[in-house]
Amino acid sequence: MRILVINAGSSSLKYQLFDMTKQTVMAKGLCERIGLDGHIKHVAEGHDVYESYAPMENHAEAVRAVIGLLTKPDTGVIADMSEIGAIGHRVVHGGEMFNASVLVDGEVIRAIEECVPLAPLHNPPNLVGIRACTEVMPDVPQVAVFDTALHQTMPQKAFLYALPYDYYERLKIRRYGFHGTSHRYVSRRAAEMLGRPIEDLKIITCHMGNGSSLAAIKGGQSVDTSMGFTPLEGVPMGTRSGSIDPAIIQYLMVKENLTIIQVTEILNKKSGVLGISGVSSDFRDLLESATEGNNRAQAALDIFTYDVKKTIGGYAAAMGGCDALVFTAGIGENHVVVRRMVSEGLECLGLTLDQDKNQSMNGKECVISTGNSPNKIMIIPTNEELVIALDTQALVSR
Ligand code: ADP
């Protein structure tokens, strides 16, 4: 079966076409600037990289353009659209309604719409992606895979905020958590690599990219995670503040004469390691700058890795141990120094980093703790698209 995986953003659409017999990617690409001047980059097996600039009025046009590229002789990998057996969509917010992936129908669409107030920037484009595919390929089954679903197993003590209870009941204010597809993939893969049933393991997964979150996975279930009601909570990120004292918001509004919209924008786009360093949100730039002696870039690295370390300690305490610590996503997979800084001091949890392996195995799926470390530290490149494709296949094959 061939499965098309779609990740639709407000003006972009990422896609991957999977051949599920081999679980390989036949083609993938990115449509950007939808509704504006339009840009497509398409990479397909057996063809040169294709790029074009042509206006795409909306997401349906982008989907048509993608189908065109997948089926044309000079860029394509399938003869026609009918070879696509199903479509899997990334959907950011499933609220409390979805604890697993589902086949899309009218009721599911309504439920995703109900979650729009919880993810106003993400769910609308995800829905647009689903509707665009319905328009272009009405007979192909579609599946929604939610970032929040994995974390629905969190106990109340982990998901409830200490606010008036009524806000939870009436407004659904609680911790939801995100990056669930990634935390799910790497925790299951860790258990496979260790040759142990996931039911017996306590795993801490560190998804560290532009957005970062950690999850405590006990017996295969998420029992806590660092992102909360929105992806703004938790450890500092590229441009997001992560958790701060909520009183800072009013103080800033008064002192700097800012509106709540402006403060929210600052917390989302001008804070995090960018805000601290004044250099960049990119951890490669931070390291370069810190190495050249920039104290604020060094401070950004220190603050980020200190907070990740504290979160790991908290989750180990919450689970009563940590059999495996997993690093994933852009920074987790590729940043030798960040992994070293996070791991320093974790020997008290039975986690001892092998400095040579940390360096030599950078970017690869492997164990990077020492041979005699009681618990394991691992790098596992994430693969959210594959999870979406596998869930889609499982649901349409039922
Ligand atoms: P997103 O959350 O947008 O998917 P990524 O997972 O791609 O982000 O992570 C982006 C981060 O990963 C950036 O801070 C970047 O510095 C870091 N990164 C990516 N590649 C490397 C690399 N080769 N070495 C060090 N850091 C890297």
Side-chain angles (χ1 to χ4, degrees):
M1 179 187 277
R2 271 81 193 256
I3 289 177
L4 183 61
V5 172
I6 299 276
N7 182 353
S10 56
S11 67
S12 70
L13 186 141
K14 285 189 211 150
Y15 61 94
Q16 290 199 7
L17 183 69
F18 279 87
D19 176 350
M20 296 310 288
T21 48
K22 296 176 279 180
Q23 292 186 6
T24 51
V25 177
M26 304 170 75
K28 64 178 178 180
L30 169 65
C31 307
E32 285 178 299
R33 302 182 62 81
I34 298 170
L36 301 167
D37 47 351
H39 172 231
I40 302 187
K41 185 170 178 184
H42 173 84
V43 186
E45 268 177 353
H47 297 291
D48 291 337
V49 175
Y50 171 92
E51 270 195 88
S52 87
Y53 292 84
M56 287 173 279
E57 211 164 279
N58 51 39
H59 284 70
E61 261 193 41
V63 171
R64 274 194 204 94
V66 169
I67 301 298
L69 288 170
L70 291 172
T71 52
K72 276 183 208 148
D74 51 339
T75 54
V77 286
I78 51 176
D80 71 77
M81 204 159 81
S82 65
E83 287 186 39
I84 298 173
I87 305 165
H89 293 269
R90 176 193 183 199
V91 180
V92 166
H93 219 308
E96 289 189 322
M97 282 177 281
F98 299 103
N99 59 10
S101 305
V102 284
L103 269 172
V104 173
D105 60 18
E107 211 173 302
V108 167
I109 289 186
R110 273 191 296 282
I112 299 172
E113 272 168 353
E114 267 183 51
C115 296
V116 165
L118 299 174
L121 300 180
H122 292 101
N123 273 29
N126 297 157
L127 277 167
V128 167
I130 293 174
R131 292 201 172 102
C133 289
T134 311
E135 191 179 324
V136 179
M137 295 175 272
D139 300 326
V140 180
Q142 302 188 63
V143 166
V145 179
F146 300 92
D147 275 27
T148 49
L150 177 82
H151 303 300
Q152 279 298 302
T153 49
M154 278 188 291
Q156 195 181 58
K157 64 185 175 190
F159 77 67
L160 210 54
Y161 292 113
L163 291 169
Y165 191 76
D166 171 56
Y167 292 148
Y168 167 56
E169 287 188 313
R170 215 162 31 85
L171 302 177
K172 295 285 168 226
I173 296 179
R174 51 159 286 175
R175 176 183 310 285
Y176 289 100
F178 299 87
H179 292 141
T181 316
S182 176
H183 291 297
R184 174 151 66 106
Y185 174 77
V186 299
S187 56
R188 268 109 193 110
R189 192 71 201 112
E192 278 169 23
M193 287 166 68
L194 297 174
R196 293 175 60 186
I198 194 156
E199 291 73 20
D200 296 347
L201 291 171
K202 295 163 189 155
I203 304 173
I204 298 173
T205 47
C206 306
H207 178 112
M208 305 190 295
N210 282 317
S212 295
S213 72
L214 284 85
I217 311 285
K218 189 175 186 184
Q221 300 208 319
S222 172
V223 293
D224 208 344
T225 191
S226 58
M227 282 180 170
F229 179 60
T230 73
L232 185 55
E233 196 187 346
V235 297
M237 308 179 208
T239 62
R240 285 175 241 164
S241 63
S243 301
I244 57 163
D245 182 341
I248 294 169
I249 294 171
Q250 188 193 2
Y251 190 79
L252 264 182
M253 289 172 69
V254 172
K255 286 280 176 190
E256 297 285 285
N257 195 22
L258 296 169
T259 65
I260 190 65
I261 308 263
Q262 288 170 316
V263 174
T264 306
E265 173 97 356
I266 290 168
L267 297 181
N268 273 294
K269 305 228 167 107
K270 296 190 176 151
S271 300
V273 295
L274 170 68
I276 298 163
S277 68
V279 170
S280 172
S281 62
D282 189 303
F283 278 68
R284 284 167 290 201
D285 301 342
L286 287 181
L287 180 62
E288 202 183 307
S289 195
T291 311
E292 286 165 0
N294 184 318
N295 292 336
R296 276 171 50 191
Q298 184 62 50
L301 287 171
D302 290 343
I303 291 164
F304 173 78
T305 53
Y306 176 63
D307 214 14
V308 171
K309 195 198 306 277
K310 279 201 300 187
T311 308
I312 292 168
Y315 290 171
M319 293 194 290
C322 170
D323 299 299
L325 173 68
V326 180
F327 290 110
T328 193
I331 300 161
E333 292 164 26
N334 301 302
H335 211 297
V336 175
V337 173
V338 166
R339 285 195 306 265
R340 174 164 54 68
M341 290 173 75
V342 169
S343 303
E344 264 165 19
L346 295 186
E347 297 78 14
C348 64
L349 299 177
L351 295 160
T352 305
L353 186 72
D354 181 321
Q355 303 293 343
D356 294 335
K357 282 190 209 153
N358 183 41
Q359 183 94 43
S360 64
M361 301 307 281
N362 191 32
K364 301 194 183 81
E365 187 182 86
C366 63
V367 175
I368 52 167
S369 43
T370 58
N372 58 8
S373 176
N375 300 319
K376 306 295 172 212
I377 307 177
M378 311 168 86
I379 301 174
I380 304 183
T382 195
N383 197 340
E384 291 159 286
E385 292 78 13
L386 177 62
V387 176
I388 296 174
L390 287 167
D391 276 12
T392 304
Q393 181 182 37
L395 281 165
V396 299
S397 310
R398 265 188 199 165

